Amino acid sequence: SDFWANTPVALKATAGLRLLPAEKAEGLLDKVKEAFKTSPFLVRDDSVRIMDGTDEGISAWITVNFIKDYLHMSKPSSIGILDLGGGSTQITFSPHSDMTLQTSPIDYITSIQLFNRTKTLYSHSYLGLGLLSARLAILGGVESKPLKNGQELVSACLAPEYKGEWEHAEIVYKIKGQKPEEPLYNSCRARIEKILYKKLHKPEEVNNLLFYAFSYYYNRAVDAGLIDEEKGGTIKLQDYETAAKQVCQRMESSSTEKPFLCMDLIYINVLLEELGFQKDAVIKLARKIDNVEASWALGASLHYVDSFLQTLGTMQA
C-alpha cells in the first residue's frame, strides 16, 4: 500500500466531453474526483481534467516516437501523427523547416519538456472537425440543437433513396438523401470543400515527413477495404479518393449498410488535402506499433509521470 500511496492516478477526458454542456461535463468529472479521493492512490490537483485538444495530439506523438525510439537526440528525425476522433482532429509533428516555424500561427508551435530534453512541436487540434461533428455540419445540422418536429436533414452526401435516423451527442436526427443533379461523389465533395474552406493551416513540410494516422483514418480505410483490420497498412492519400469514388458510385444505384461511408471517405480525403498533403503522400495506418497500442494514452502517461518525477525532484532538491 506504500507503493500505492506514491503511485499517481489520472483521468484525461477528450473532445467528446469538451462538446458536452459545461455543467454536464463538470458533473461527470466531479464524480470521478470523488472516486479518486477515496482510492489509495496519489491524487494530484490536476489528476482529473478535460485535455486540451493539443494535449491529445502531443500525447499521441510521444507514444509513436517513444515506441519507435525517436525521442533521443541522436535521432533528429521523428514521426508525425494524424488523429481523427469524433469531435476533433489533430496533427502533430516536429518541424524541421524554418519556414514552418516562421509561417505557422503562433499557438501552433509549442515546446514540451520530456526526459530532460526540450522538444519543439507543431501541434493543433481542430475542435468540431472530428468525423462525427463534421458529419453533422455536412448534413446541415448544428451541435446541441435538436430538429423541430417533422424536420429532416436532407443531404447530397447520402444515397438518393436513403432515409433513416442518426444519433449524435444524445440527439437523434432524421436524415435522408436527395436526387443529386450531378454524380454523388461530385456533389458531396463540393459540399465538404465548402465546409472545410479556409478552416485549416497547411504546413508545406508535411509531405517530407512520415506520418502515422489513427482512429477514424484507420477505421474508414478498413471499411473501404484499403487495409487489413488487424495489421493496418501503408496507403497513399489518393487511395482514399479512389475508394470514395467507388463507394459513392455504388451508393447511387443501391442502398448500403454503411450510409455514411461515401461522405466519410471524401471528408478524410479533403481534410488531408486541406492540411497540405499531396495526393501521392504516403501515410501509415496502425492500431499497434511493434505490438504496442498506438494511442495517446501511453504518451499522456509518460508525460504525466515525467512531469511528476520532475516536480518530485524539485521538491527534494
Side-chain angles (χ1 to χ4, degrees), residues 125-181:
S125 177
Y126 295 93
L127 185 61
L129 295 187
L131 189 77
L132 303 182
S133 291
R135 184 188 288 173
L136 179 62
I138 294 161
L139 290 168
V142 179
E143 287 285 357
S144 306
K145 283 196 178 177
L147 300 177
K148 291 172 185 167
N149 277 344
Q151 263 192 324
E152 290 178 313
L153 297 177
V154 181
S155 175
C157 286
L158 297 169
E161 306 301 324
Y162 181 79
K163 201 168 187 174
E165 291 185 341
W166 175 57
E167 185 176 340
H168 171 65
E170 299 182 355
I171 297 173
V172 177
Y173 300 90
K174 288 186 175 178
I175 57 174
K176 64 183 282 191
Q178 67 183 49
K179 288 265 192 300
E181 294 174 9

Short mmCIF file of all heavy atoms in Angstrom, two decimals, residues 125-181:
data_model
loop_
_atom_site.label_atom_id
_atom_site.label_comp_id
_atom_site.label_asym_id
_atom_site.label_seq_id
_atom_site.Cartn_x
_atom_site.Cartn_y
_atom_site.Cartn_z
N SER A 125 -5.17 21.14 -32.64
CA SER A 125 -6.40 20.35 -32.61
C SER A 125 -7.53 21.20 -33.15
O SER A 125 -7.74 22.32 -32.70
CB SER A 125 -6.71 19.93 -31.17
OG SER A 125 -7.93 19.22 -31.12
N TYR A 126 -8.21 20.67 -34.13
CA TYR A 126 -9.34 21.38 -34.73
C TYR A 126 -10.64 20.84 -34.13
O TYR A 126 -11.14 19.79 -34.55
CB TYR A 126 -9.34 21.20 -36.24
CG TYR A 126 -8.15 21.82 -36.95
CD1 TYR A 126 -7.00 21.08 -37.21
CD2 TYR A 126 -8.17 23.16 -37.35
CE1 TYR A 126 -5.91 21.64 -37.86
CE2 TYR A 126 -7.08 23.73 -38.00
CZ TYR A 126 -5.96 22.97 -38.25
OH TYR A 126 -4.88 23.53 -38.90
N LEU A 127 -11.15 21.54 -33.13
CA LEU A 127 -12.39 21.12 -32.48
C LEU A 127 -13.56 21.36 -33.44
O LEU A 127 -13.65 22.41 -34.07
CB LEU A 127 -12.61 21.92 -31.19
CG LEU A 127 -13.81 21.50 -30.33
CD1 LEU A 127 -13.68 20.05 -29.87
CD2 LEU A 127 -13.96 22.42 -29.13
N GLY A 128 -14.41 20.36 -33.56
CA GLY A 128 -15.54 20.48 -34.47
C GLY A 128 -15.27 19.87 -35.84
O GLY A 128 -16.17 19.72 -36.65
N LEU A 129 -14.00 19.48 -36.08
CA LEU A 129 -13.67 18.86 -37.37
C LEU A 129 -13.37 17.37 -37.22
O LEU A 129 -12.82 16.75 -38.12
CB LEU A 129 -12.49 19.58 -38.04
CG LEU A 129 -12.75 21.03 -38.46
CD1 LEU A 129 -11.57 21.58 -39.26
CD2 LEU A 129 -14.03 21.16 -39.28
N GLY A 130 -13.72 16.81 -36.07
CA GLY A 130 -13.70 15.35 -35.94
C GLY A 130 -14.75 14.77 -36.87
O GLY A 130 -15.65 15.49 -37.33
N LEU A 131 -14.67 13.50 -37.14
CA LEU A 131 -15.52 12.90 -38.18
C LEU A 131 -17.01 13.08 -37.89
O LEU A 131 -17.79 13.41 -38.79
CB LEU A 131 -15.20 11.41 -38.32
CG LEU A 131 -15.87 10.74 -39.52
CD1 LEU A 131 -15.14 11.10 -40.81
CD2 LEU A 131 -15.91 9.23 -39.36
N LEU A 132 -17.42 12.88 -36.65
CA LEU A 132 -18.86 12.92 -36.34
C LEU A 132 -19.39 14.35 -36.27
O LEU A 132 -20.50 14.64 -36.74
CB LEU A 132 -19.14 12.17 -35.04
CG LEU A 132 -18.67 10.71 -35.01
CD1 LEU A 132 -19.04 10.04 -33.70
CD2 LEU A 132 -19.26 9.92 -36.19
N SER A 133 -18.60 15.25 -35.70
CA SER A 133 -19.01 16.66 -35.68
C SER A 133 -19.08 17.21 -37.10
O SER A 133 -20.00 17.96 -37.45
CB SER A 133 -18.03 17.49 -34.84
OG SER A 133 -18.15 17.16 -33.48
N ALA A 134 -18.09 16.84 -37.91
CA ALA A 134 -18.08 17.30 -39.31
C ALA A 134 -19.26 16.70 -40.07
O ALA A 134 -19.89 17.38 -40.89
CB ALA A 134 -16.77 16.90 -39.98
N ARG A 135 -19.58 15.45 -39.77
CA ARG A 135 -20.71 14.80 -40.43
C ARG A 135 -22.00 15.58 -40.18
O ARG A 135 -22.80 15.79 -41.09
CB ARG A 135 -20.85 13.36 -39.92
CG ARG A 135 -21.93 12.57 -40.62
CD ARG A 135 -22.14 11.22 -39.94
NE ARG A 135 -21.05 10.30 -40.19
CZ ARG A 135 -20.94 9.10 -39.59
NH1 ARG A 135 -21.85 8.73 -38.72
NH2 ARG A 135 -19.92 8.32 -39.87
N LEU A 136 -22.17 16.02 -38.93
CA LEU A 136 -23.36 16.80 -38.60
C LEU A 136 -23.40 18.10 -39.41
O LEU A 136 -24.44 18.49 -39.95
CB LEU A 136 -23.40 17.11 -37.10
CG LEU A 136 -24.59 17.94 -36.61
CD1 LEU A 136 -25.91 17.20 -36.86
CD2 LEU A 136 -24.45 18.28 -35.13
N ALA A 137 -22.25 18.76 -39.50
CA ALA A 137 -22.17 20.02 -40.27
C ALA A 137 -22.45 19.77 -41.75
O ALA A 137 -23.16 20.55 -42.40
CB ALA A 137 -20.79 20.65 -40.09
N ILE A 138 -21.92 18.68 -42.28
CA ILE A 138 -22.13 18.35 -43.70
C ILE A 138 -23.61 18.08 -43.96
O ILE A 138 -24.17 18.50 -44.98
CB ILE A 138 -21.27 17.12 -44.09
CG1 ILE A 138 -19.78 17.46 -44.03
CG2 ILE A 138 -21.64 16.63 -45.50
CD1 ILE A 138 -18.87 16.25 -43.96
N LEU A 139 -24.26 17.43 -43.00
CA LEU A 139 -25.69 17.13 -43.14
C LEU A 139 -26.56 18.38 -42.99
O LEU A 139 -27.73 18.39 -43.35
CB LEU A 139 -26.12 16.09 -42.10
CG LEU A 139 -25.60 14.66 -42.29
CD1 LEU A 139 -25.86 13.83 -41.05
CD2 LEU A 139 -26.23 14.01 -43.51
N GLY A 140 -25.96 19.44 -42.41
CA GLY A 140 -26.70 20.69 -42.25
C GLY A 140 -27.23 20.91 -40.85
O GLY A 140 -28.03 21.82 -40.61
N GLY A 141 -26.77 20.09 -39.90
CA GLY A 141 -27.22 20.25 -38.52
C GLY A 141 -26.28 21.14 -37.72
O GLY A 141 -25.22 21.53 -38.20
N VAL A 142 -26.69 21.45 -36.50
CA VAL A 142 -25.89 22.29 -35.61
C VAL A 142 -25.73 21.56 -34.28
O VAL A 142 -26.69 21.00 -33.76
CB VAL A 142 -26.57 23.67 -35.38
CG1 VAL A 142 -25.75 24.52 -34.43
CG2 VAL A 142 -26.79 24.39 -36.70
N GLU A 143 -24.50 21.57 -33.74
CA GLU A 143 -24.23 20.88 -32.46
C GLU A 143 -25.22 21.31 -31.38
O GLU A 143 -25.51 22.50 -31.23
CB GLU A 143 -22.81 21.19 -31.97
CG GLU A 143 -21.70 20.50 -32.75
CD GLU A 143 -21.54 19.02 -32.46
OE1 GLU A 143 -22.26 18.47 -31.61
OE2 GLU A 143 -20.69 18.41 -33.13
N SER A 144 -25.73 20.34 -30.64
CA SER A 144 -26.60 20.56 -29.48
C SER A 144 -27.96 21.17 -29.82
O SER A 144 -28.66 21.63 -28.93
CB SER A 144 -25.91 21.44 -28.42
OG SER A 144 -24.66 20.91 -28.08
N LYS A 145 -28.31 21.20 -31.11
CA LYS A 145 -29.62 21.75 -31.49
C LYS A 145 -30.48 20.67 -32.14
O LYS A 145 -30.28 20.33 -33.30
CB LYS A 145 -29.45 22.93 -32.45
CG LYS A 145 -29.00 24.21 -31.78
CD LYS A 145 -29.23 25.40 -32.68
CE LYS A 145 -28.82 26.69 -31.97
NZ LYS A 145 -28.96 27.87 -32.84
N PRO A 146 -31.44 20.13 -31.38
CA PRO A 146 -32.33 19.11 -31.97
C PRO A 146 -33.18 19.73 -33.08
O PRO A 146 -33.43 20.94 -33.10
CB PRO A 146 -33.21 18.67 -30.80
CG PRO A 146 -32.54 19.20 -29.57
CD PRO A 146 -31.77 20.40 -29.99
N LEU A 147 -33.62 18.88 -33.99
CA LEU A 147 -34.52 19.35 -35.06
C LEU A 147 -35.92 19.53 -34.50
O LEU A 147 -36.31 18.88 -33.53
CB LEU A 147 -34.55 18.33 -36.20
CG LEU A 147 -33.22 18.02 -36.90
CD1 LEU A 147 -33.42 16.94 -37.95
CD2 LEU A 147 -32.64 19.27 -37.55
N LYS A 148 -36.68 20.41 -35.12
CA LYS A 148 -38.07 20.57 -34.72
C LYS A 148 -38.87 19.39 -35.25
O LYS A 148 -38.43 18.69 -36.16
CB LYS A 148 -38.63 21.89 -35.28
CG LYS A 148 -38.01 23.12 -34.62
CD LYS A 148 -38.43 24.40 -35.31
CE LYS A 148 -37.70 25.59 -34.68
NZ LYS A 148 -37.81 26.80 -35.49
N ASN A 149 -40.05 19.18 -34.70
CA ASN A 149 -40.89 18.06 -35.12
C ASN A 149 -41.10 18.05 -36.63
O ASN A 149 -41.45 19.06 -37.22
CB ASN A 149 -42.26 18.14 -34.43
CG ASN A 149 -42.20 17.54 -33.03
OD1 ASN A 149 -41.24 16.84 -32.71
ND2 ASN A 149 -43.19 17.81 -32.21
N GLY A 150 -40.85 16.89 -37.21
CA GLY A 150 -41.08 16.75 -38.65
C GLY A 150 -39.92 17.21 -39.51
O GLY A 150 -39.91 16.97 -40.72
N GLN A 151 -38.94 17.87 -38.90
CA GLN A 151 -37.79 18.35 -39.68
C GLN A 151 -36.85 17.20 -40.04
O GLN A 151 -36.68 16.26 -39.27
CB GLN A 151 -37.00 19.40 -38.89
CG GLN A 151 -37.36 20.84 -39.23
CD GLN A 151 -36.36 21.81 -38.63
OE1 GLN A 151 -35.86 21.60 -37.53
NE2 GLN A 151 -36.06 22.88 -39.34
N GLU A 152 -36.24 17.31 -41.20
CA GLU A 152 -35.25 16.32 -41.64
C GLU A 152 -34.02 17.04 -42.16
O GLU A 152 -34.11 18.18 -42.62
CB GLU A 152 -35.82 15.46 -42.78
CG GLU A 152 -36.92 14.51 -42.38
CD GLU A 152 -37.45 13.74 -43.60
OE1 GLU A 152 -37.72 14.37 -44.64
OE2 GLU A 152 -37.57 12.52 -43.49
N LEU A 153 -32.89 16.36 -42.06
CA LEU A 153 -31.67 16.87 -42.70
C LEU A 153 -31.54 16.16 -44.04
O LEU A 153 -31.44 14.93 -44.09
CB LEU A 153 -30.45 16.58 -41.82
CG LEU A 153 -30.41 17.24 -40.44
CD1 LEU A 153 -29.17 16.81 -39.67
CD2 LEU A 153 -30.45 18.77 -40.56
N VAL A 154 -31.59 16.93 -45.10
CA VAL A 154 -31.51 16.36 -46.45
C VAL A 154 -30.11 16.63 -46.99
O VAL A 154 -29.64 17.77 -46.96
CB VAL A 154 -32.58 17.00 -47.37
CG1 VAL A 154 -32.51 16.37 -48.76
CG2 VAL A 154 -33.97 16.81 -46.77
N SER A 155 -29.45 15.58 -47.46
CA SER A 155 -28.04 15.74 -47.86
C SER A 155 -27.72 15.10 -49.20
O SER A 155 -28.18 14.00 -49.51
CB SER A 155 -27.14 15.13 -46.78
OG SER A 155 -25.79 15.17 -47.19
N ALA A 156 -26.89 15.80 -49.94
CA ALA A 156 -26.39 15.29 -51.22
C ALA A 156 -25.26 14.29 -51.00
O ALA A 156 -24.69 13.77 -51.96
CB ALA A 156 -25.89 16.45 -52.08
N CYS A 157 -24.92 14.02 -49.74
CA CYS A 157 -23.84 13.07 -49.44
C CYS A 157 -24.38 11.69 -49.06
O CYS A 157 -23.61 10.80 -48.71
CB CYS A 157 -22.97 13.61 -48.30
SG CYS A 157 -21.88 14.95 -48.80
N LEU A 158 -25.70 11.54 -49.10
CA LEU A 158 -26.31 10.24 -48.80
C LEU A 158 -26.88 9.64 -50.08
O LEU A 158 -27.15 10.37 -51.04
CB LEU A 158 -27.43 10.41 -47.77
CG LEU A 158 -27.01 10.93 -46.38
CD1 LEU A 158 -28.24 11.31 -45.57
CD2 LEU A 158 -26.18 9.88 -45.64
N ALA A 159 -27.06 8.32 -50.08
CA ALA A 159 -27.66 7.67 -51.25
C ALA A 159 -29.02 8.31 -51.53
O ALA A 159 -29.76 8.63 -50.60
CB ALA A 159 -27.82 6.18 -50.97
N PRO A 160 -29.35 8.52 -52.80
CA PRO A 160 -30.58 9.25 -53.15
C PRO A 160 -31.84 8.71 -52.48
O PRO A 160 -32.71 9.47 -52.08
CB PRO A 160 -30.65 9.08 -54.68
CG PRO A 160 -29.24 8.84 -55.10
CD PRO A 160 -28.57 8.13 -53.98
N GLU A 161 -31.94 7.40 -52.34
CA GLU A 161 -33.15 6.80 -51.77
C GLU A 161 -33.06 6.59 -50.26
O GLU A 161 -33.99 6.08 -49.65
CB GLU A 161 -33.43 5.43 -52.44
CG GLU A 161 -33.49 5.46 -53.96
CD GLU A 161 -34.58 6.40 -54.48
OE1 GLU A 161 -35.64 6.48 -53.83
OE2 GLU A 161 -34.34 7.06 -55.51
N TYR A 162 -31.95 6.99 -49.67
CA TYR A 162 -31.74 6.69 -48.25
C TYR A 162 -32.64 7.54 -47.34
O TYR A 162 -32.83 8.73 -47.56
CB TYR A 162 -30.28 6.92 -47.85
CG TYR A 162 -30.03 6.60 -46.39
CD1 TYR A 162 -29.88 5.28 -45.96
CD2 TYR A 162 -29.98 7.61 -45.43
CE1 TYR A 162 -29.68 4.98 -44.62
CE2 TYR A 162 -29.77 7.32 -44.09
CZ TYR A 162 -29.62 6.00 -43.69
OH TYR A 162 -29.44 5.70 -42.37
N LYS A 163 -33.16 6.88 -46.32
CA LYS A 163 -33.94 7.57 -45.30
C LYS A 163 -33.69 6.85 -43.98
O LYS A 163 -33.74 5.63 -43.92
CB LYS A 163 -35.43 7.51 -45.67
CG LYS A 163 -36.27 8.58 -45.00
CD LYS A 163 -37.65 8.65 -45.63
CE LYS A 163 -38.40 9.85 -45.04
NZ LYS A 163 -39.67 10.09 -45.67
N GLY A 164 -33.37 7.60 -42.94
CA GLY A 164 -33.09 6.93 -41.67
C GLY A 164 -32.91 7.91 -40.53
O GLY A 164 -33.26 9.10 -40.64
N GLU A 165 -32.37 7.39 -39.43
CA GLU A 165 -32.11 8.22 -38.25
C GLU A 165 -30.65 8.07 -37.86
O GLU A 165 -30.05 7.01 -38.06
CB GLU A 165 -33.01 7.81 -37.08
CG GLU A 165 -34.48 8.14 -37.29
CD GLU A 165 -35.32 7.81 -36.06
OE1 GLU A 165 -34.86 7.01 -35.22
OE2 GLU A 165 -36.44 8.36 -35.94
N TRP A 166 -30.10 9.13 -37.30
CA TRP A 166 -28.71 9.10 -36.85
C TRP A 166 -28.62 9.80 -35.51
O TRP A 166 -29.12 10.92 -35.35
CB TRP A 166 -27.81 9.79 -37.88
CG TRP A 166 -26.38 9.90 -37.44
CD1 TRP A 166 -25.55 8.89 -37.08
CD2 TRP A 166 -25.60 11.11 -37.31
NE1 TRP A 166 -24.30 9.38 -36.74
CE2 TRP A 166 -24.31 10.74 -36.87
CE3 TRP A 166 -25.87 12.46 -37.53
CZ2 TRP A 166 -23.30 11.67 -36.64
CZ3 TRP A 166 -24.87 13.39 -37.31
CH2 TRP A 166 -23.59 12.99 -36.87
N GLU A 167 -27.99 9.13 -34.54
CA GLU A 167 -27.85 9.73 -33.21
C GLU A 167 -26.44 10.28 -33.04
O GLU A 167 -25.45 9.62 -33.32
CB GLU A 167 -28.12 8.69 -32.12
CG GLU A 167 -28.10 9.30 -30.73
CD GLU A 167 -28.46 8.33 -29.62
OE1 GLU A 167 -29.09 7.29 -29.91
OE2 GLU A 167 -28.10 8.61 -28.46
N HIS A 168 -26.38 11.52 -32.58
CA HIS A 168 -25.08 12.17 -32.33
C HIS A 168 -25.21 13.04 -31.09
O HIS A 168 -26.12 13.86 -30.99
CB HIS A 168 -24.69 13.03 -33.54
CG HIS A 168 -23.49 13.90 -33.30
ND1 HIS A 168 -22.23 13.38 -33.07
CD2 HIS A 168 -23.36 15.25 -33.24
CE1 HIS A 168 -21.38 14.38 -32.88
NE2 HIS A 168 -22.04 15.52 -32.98
N ALA A 169 -24.30 12.84 -30.14
CA ALA A 169 -24.28 13.62 -28.89
C ALA A 169 -25.67 13.62 -28.23
O ALA A 169 -26.18 14.67 -27.83
CB ALA A 169 -23.79 15.04 -29.14
N GLU A 170 -26.26 12.44 -28.16
CA GLU A 170 -27.54 12.21 -27.48
C GLU A 170 -28.74 12.87 -28.17
O GLU A 170 -29.80 13.03 -27.57
CB GLU A 170 -27.47 12.66 -26.01
CG GLU A 170 -26.42 11.90 -25.20
CD GLU A 170 -26.37 12.31 -23.75
OE1 GLU A 170 -27.08 13.26 -23.37
OE2 GLU A 170 -25.63 11.67 -22.99
N ILE A 171 -28.56 13.28 -29.41
CA ILE A 171 -29.68 13.84 -30.18
C ILE A 171 -29.89 12.97 -31.41
O ILE A 171 -28.94 12.58 -32.09
CB ILE A 171 -29.38 15.30 -30.62
CG1 ILE A 171 -29.24 16.21 -29.39
CG2 ILE A 171 -30.49 15.83 -31.53
CD1 ILE A 171 -28.78 17.62 -29.70
N VAL A 172 -31.16 12.63 -31.67
CA VAL A 172 -31.48 11.81 -32.84
C VAL A 172 -31.95 12.72 -33.98
O VAL A 172 -32.85 13.54 -33.80
CB VAL A 172 -32.58 10.77 -32.50
CG1 VAL A 172 -32.97 9.98 -33.75
CG2 VAL A 172 -32.10 9.82 -31.41
N TYR A 173 -31.31 12.57 -35.13
CA TYR A 173 -31.64 13.37 -36.31
C TYR A 173 -32.28 12.48 -37.37
O TYR A 173 -31.79 11.37 -37.63
CB TYR A 173 -30.38 14.01 -36.90
CG TYR A 173 -29.65 14.94 -35.95
CD1 TYR A 173 -28.64 14.44 -35.11
CD2 TYR A 173 -29.94 16.29 -35.90
CE1 TYR A 173 -27.96 15.28 -34.24
CE2 TYR A 173 -29.26 17.15 -35.03
CZ TYR A 173 -28.28 16.63 -34.21
OH TYR A 173 -27.60 17.46 -33.35
N LYS A 174 -33.33 12.98 -37.98
CA LYS A 174 -33.90 12.29 -39.15
C LYS A 174 -33.15 12.79 -40.38
O LYS A 174 -33.01 14.00 -40.58
CB LYS A 174 -35.39 12.60 -39.27
CG LYS A 174 -36.23 11.92 -38.20
CD LYS A 174 -37.71 12.11 -38.44
CE LYS A 174 -38.50 11.30 -37.41
NZ LYS A 174 -39.94 11.47 -37.54
N ILE A 175 -32.67 11.84 -41.17
CA ILE A 175 -31.85 12.23 -42.32
C ILE A 175 -32.33 11.51 -43.58
O ILE A 175 -32.92 10.43 -43.51
CB ILE A 175 -30.36 11.90 -42.07
CG1 ILE A 175 -30.17 10.41 -41.75
CG2 ILE A 175 -29.79 12.75 -40.95
CD1 ILE A 175 -28.72 9.98 -41.65
N LYS A 176 -32.09 12.13 -44.71
CA LYS A 176 -32.45 11.48 -45.98
C LYS A 176 -31.56 12.00 -47.11
O LYS A 176 -31.00 13.09 -47.03
CB LYS A 176 -33.92 11.71 -46.31
CG LYS A 176 -34.31 13.16 -46.55
CD LYS A 176 -35.81 13.31 -46.80
CE LYS A 176 -36.18 12.92 -48.21
NZ LYS A 176 -37.57 13.30 -48.56
N GLY A 177 -31.45 11.17 -48.14
CA GLY A 177 -30.68 11.57 -49.31
C GLY A 177 -31.54 12.40 -50.25
O GLY A 177 -32.73 12.58 -50.03
N GLN A 178 -30.89 12.91 -51.28
CA GLN A 178 -31.65 13.67 -52.28
C GLN A 178 -31.14 13.29 -53.66
O GLN A 178 -30.03 12.81 -53.82
CB GLN A 178 -31.49 15.18 -52.05
CG GLN A 178 -30.08 15.70 -52.29
CD GLN A 178 -29.95 17.19 -51.98
OE1 GLN A 178 -30.37 17.64 -50.93
NE2 GLN A 178 -29.35 17.93 -52.89
N LYS A 179 -31.98 13.51 -54.65
CA LYS A 179 -31.57 13.21 -56.02
C LYS A 179 -30.53 14.26 -56.45
O LYS A 179 -30.85 15.43 -56.60
CB LYS A 179 -32.78 13.29 -56.96
CG LYS A 179 -33.76 12.14 -56.82
CD LYS A 179 -33.47 11.05 -57.84
CE LYS A 179 -34.58 10.02 -57.94
NZ LYS A 179 -34.86 9.30 -56.73
N PRO A 180 -29.28 13.85 -56.59
CA PRO A 180 -28.26 14.85 -56.95
C PRO A 180 -28.36 15.25 -58.41
O PRO A 180 -28.76 14.46 -59.27
CB PRO A 180 -26.95 14.12 -56.66
CG PRO A 180 -27.26 12.67 -56.78
CD PRO A 180 -28.72 12.50 -56.45
N GLU A 181 -27.99 16.49 -58.67
CA GLU A 181 -28.00 16.98 -60.06
C GLU A 181 -26.75 16.53 -60.80
O GLU A 181 -26.66 16.64 -62.01
CB GLU A 181 -28.10 18.51 -60.07
CG GLU A 181 -29.43 19.02 -59.52
CD GLU A 181 -29.47 20.53 -59.40
OE1 GLU A 181 -28.54 21.19 -59.89
OE2 GLU A 181 -30.43 21.04 -58.80
#
